[in-house]
Amino acid sequence: MLTTSDAWETDIEGQGHDPTRQDLQVEQITPPDNIAARLNLNPKTDVCVVRRHIRYIDGKPAIISDDYFDKRIVRGTELAEPEDTTRENILAEAGYEQVYDTDEIITRMPTPDETARLSIAPGTPVAEHVRTGYTATNRAVRVMVSIVPGDTLILQYTIPT
């Protein structure tokens, strides 16, 4: 869906909307089981860095976008810091160039946390977009989980053939 906040902002502006702002929170956590499985981490002993974004459109929370990384990979990089970055080559500089993604999109009902973070009415479905980024050796190095209210945005992809 998104590669940088600048690309996201350009896309939203191109659709005639104002990408008002984004909030960022960076944490080191024990990975949830589903994230641990994708990143080949042990959910009992390993730690991951999660960069939690709430992106606002026209002044309203519109997208949750959380990026998960193995702490060992991003330690000492901008990805482990609490500031936003638009640089795309951080993983490559750390020796883990992301060369392809696998996307999964499902629709479902939101969790109570998602309902609160997005300020949506109870009963509003969401689309969950999970993008797992891999190196040339098929090592998963990033998992992005984006949650979009089902009544607000259109996800559009252009894929070269």
Side-chain angles (χ1 to χ4, degrees), residues 4 11 31 46 54 59-60 79 83 91 98-99 101-102 113 122 124 140 143 151 160:
T4 69
D11 185 45
D46 288 330
I54 300 177
K60 298 176 187 172
L79 294 172
E83 291 83 29
L91 285 173
Q98 185 177 313
V99 298
D101 301 312
T102 300
D113 177 64
T124 303
V143 176
D151 63 348

Side-chain angles (χ1 to χ4, degrees), residues 38-40 97 99-100 102 132-141:
R38 290 174 188 276
L39 291 174
N40 198 27
E97 181 179 10
V99 298
Y100 73 95
T102 300
T132 305
Y134 294 88
T135 66
T137 61
N138 300 316
R139 180 176 180 175
V141 293

Side-chain angles (χ1 to χ4, degrees), residues 5 7 11 23 37 56 60 63 68 75 80 83 87 98 103 106-107 118 122 125 133-134 136 142 154:
S5 57
D11 185 45
D23 295 340
Y56 291 75
K60 298 176 187 172
I63 300 172
Y68 296 85
R75 184 183 3 236
E83 291 83 29
R87 290 190 336 104
Q98 185 177 313
D103 287 353
I106 64 167
T107 55
L118 289 167
Y134 294 88
R142 174 184 177 226
I154 296 172

Side-chain angles (χ1 to χ4, degrees), residues 31-68:
D33 289 343
N34 63 326
I35 300 298
R38 290 174 188 276
L39 291 174
N40 198 27
L41 299 175
N42 182 327
K44 294 181 176 159
T45 59
D46 288 330
V47 174
C48 71
V49 171
V50 60
R51 297 178 60 83
R52 300 183 190 279
H53 288 89
I54 300 177
R55 300 178 192 277
Y56 291 75
I57 299 174
D58 298 330
K60 298 176 187 172
I63 300 172
I64 295 170
S65 185
D66 297 341
D67 292 291
Y68 296 85

Side-chain angles (χ1 to χ4, degrees), residues 1-13 15 19 21-22 53-57 62-67 69 84-88 98 101 103 105 129-133 142-148 153-157:
M1 183 186 322
L2 313 171
T3 56
T4 69
S5 57
D6 284 346
W8 178 78
E9 290 170 2
T10 300
D11 185 45
I12 295 303
E13 288 169 347
Q15 296 177 43
R21 74 175 204 266
Q22 62 179 329
H53 288 89
I54 300 177
R55 300 178 192 277
Y56 291 75
I57 299 174
I63 300 172
I64 295 170
S65 185
D66 297 341
D67 292 291
F69 304 91
D84 196 13
T85 180
T86 58
R87 290 190 336 104
E88 295 184 32
Q98 185 177 313
D101 301 312
D103 287 353
I105 300 172
H129 173 208
V130 179
R131 171 172 283 173
T132 305
R142 174 184 177 226
V143 176
M144 178 186 73
V145 179
S146 297
I147 308 297
V148 181
L153 295 176
I154 296 172
L155 302 175
Q156 179 179 346
Y157 289 86

